[in-house]
């Protein structure tokens, strides 16, 4: 009695089937397992099937069930993917070459702060025919204390009534620093010399102005050298800015013009 090709007895009947082949002898029949649809190794790498040969006329089993393990071979059908992009990175300006390599030396935040880099990953070791994926890296230059404060002019002329009380404001000046954050905090000082004992200067932390006040005595004409110190904590001496201020005493009873 001729036997039938083995019948698949498994839960993947929608993916595999037995195909009856031409018998090599009149008394035998063979079968071939073939896939009914495309298989994805990344979805499932192998399948375990069970099959059994049965009589074609009576459908009675002719042998015990056999187990087949079908392994799905990998092909290069998936490109590399960046799972968390776009990425962000921060590097101090003027940094030497490191993990993030710079194409230009002395990259200056005050000139350009933001950079956008397109990164490509290619499989097969970059060989021809490999698949590629891309992502974007946004790089920001963080500030370093590389700019000295600058006064808008090198000399200021201030006038104050000679009857002014001690502690009276004489005038306000301001220096501008191209850095940001703590690197741009200022502290004003009067350089020791002519007029240094007559006047003092304080820093308005709200607007970063230097307020010159009368320290003692009756004001007369003086030239005061002012120094603005960048308030950043660095290992080297902070950059300094300098300017001069000439003070003139007004006769008592005259209003002090605005500065």
């Amino acid at each position: 009695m001729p036997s039938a090709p083995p019948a698949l007895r498994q839960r993947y009947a929608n993916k595999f089937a037995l195909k009856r082949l031409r018998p090599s002898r009149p008394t035998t029949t063979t079968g071939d397992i073939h896939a009914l649809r495309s298989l994805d190794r990344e979805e499932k790498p192998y399948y375990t099937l069970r099959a059994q040969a049965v009589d074609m006329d009576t459908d009675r089993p002719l042998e015990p069930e056999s187990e087949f393990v079908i392994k799905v071979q990998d092909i290069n059908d998936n490109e590399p993917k960046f799972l968390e992009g776009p990425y962000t990175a921060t590097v101090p300006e003027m940094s030497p070459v490191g993990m993030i390599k710079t194409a230009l030396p002395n990259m200056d935040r005050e000139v350009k702060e933001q950079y956008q880099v397109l990164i490509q990953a290619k499989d097969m070791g970059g060989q021809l025919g490999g698949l590629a994926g891309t992502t974007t890296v946004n790089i920001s230059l963080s500030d370093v204390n590389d700019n000295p404060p600058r006064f808008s002019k090198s000399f200021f002329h201030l006038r104050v009534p000679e009857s002014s009380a001690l502690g009276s404001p004489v005038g306000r000046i301001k220096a501008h620093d191209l850095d940001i954050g703590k690197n741009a905090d200022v502290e004003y000082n009067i350089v020791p010399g002519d007029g240094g004992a007559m006047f003092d200067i304080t820093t308005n932390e709200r607007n970063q102005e230097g307020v010159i006040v009368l320290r003692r005595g009756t004001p007369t004409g003086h030239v005061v050298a002012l120094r603005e110190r960048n308030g950043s904590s660095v290992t080297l001496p902070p950059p300094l800015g300098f300017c001069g201020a000439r003070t003139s005493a007004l006769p008592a009873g005259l209003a002090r013009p605005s500065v």
Side-chain angles (χ1 to χ4, degrees):
M1 181 178 297
S3 62
L8 292 178
R9 303 179 184 276
Q10 36 74 38
R11 53 180 178 151
Y12 303 116
N14 62 333
K15 293 184 180 292
F16 301 96
L18 277 171
K19 181 180 179 181
R20 183 174 179 177
L21 302 179
R22 184 182 299 275
S24 57
R25 297 193 303 272
T27 57
T28 62
T29 301
T30 60
D32 184 24
I33 299 176
H34 66 280
L36 295 176
R37 62 183 61 185
S38 177
L39 304 178
D40 190 349
R41 187 199 65 83
E42 287 73 34
E43 178 183 330
K44 189 172 180 63
Y46 68 91
Y47 296 84
T48 302
L49 312 179
R50 299 188 66 82
Q52 186 177 41
V54 297
D55 187 282
M56 295 181 60
D57 296 327
T58 64
D59 201 31
R60 294 178 58 184
L62 299 177
E63 63 180 11
E65 289 186 348
S66 300
E67 184 175 275
F68 302 88
V69 177
I70 299 178
K71 295 182 178 181
V72 183
Q73 292 183 340
D74 183 50
I75 62 172
N76 191 26
D77 60 340
N78 291 279
E79 72 279 3
K81 293 183 179 180
F82 295 91
L83 302 181
E84 301 177 0
Y87 297 84
T88 58
T90 302
V91 58
E93 58 178 331
M94 306 298 178
S95 293
V97 173
M99 291 184 62
I100 299 179
K101 295 186 177 181
T102 59
L104 298 174
N106 300 325
M107 300 178 69
D108 193 348
R109 185 201 65 83
E110 288 73 33
V111 176
K112 184 176 175 64
E113 184 174 0
Q114 300 287 337
Y115 293 85
Q116 191 173 81
V117 180
L118 184 64
I119 305 296
Q120 182 189 70
K122 192 172 183 180
D123 60 15
M124 293 181 60
Q127 298 179 11
L128 184 65
L131 303 179
T134 60
T135 190
T136 299
V137 179
N138 297 310
I139 301 176
S140 301
L141 296 184
S142 60
D143 187 54
V144 298
N145 190 23
D146 60 339
N147 289 280
R150 303 290 186 186
F151 292 98
S152 60
K153 50 188 177 180
S154 59
F155 203 88
F156 295 81
H157 190 184
L158 310 176
R159 309 183 74 180
V160 57
E162 61 181 3
S163 60
S164 296
L166 297 182
S168 299
V170 175
R172 298 172 182 270
I173 60 173
K174 187 173 184 178
H176 178 65
D177 195 311
L178 292 177
D179 294 318
I180 59 176
K182 292 183 177 180
N183 291 334
D185 289 344
V186 298
E187 176 188 326
Y188 295 91
N189 296 279
I190 295 179
V191 178
D194 184 27
M198 183 71 68
F199 301 95
D200 200 359
I201 187 169
T202 61
T203 303
N204 187 325
E205 295 182 359
R206 182 178 59 83
N207 57 18
Q208 297 291 289
E209 287 183 339
V211 182
I212 302 175
V213 296
L214 184 61
R215 186 174 183 180
R216 66 180 180 83
T218 301
T220 57
H222 288 281
V223 176
V224 180
L226 303 176
R227 176 177 62 189
E228 190 270 0
R229 178 183 296 272
N230 189 293
S232 175
S233 176
V234 294
T235 55
L236 297 177
L240 302 177
F242 292 89
C243 76
R246 179 183 296 276
T247 61
S248 300
L250 293 175
L254 294 182
R256 177 170 60 89
S258 59
V259 178

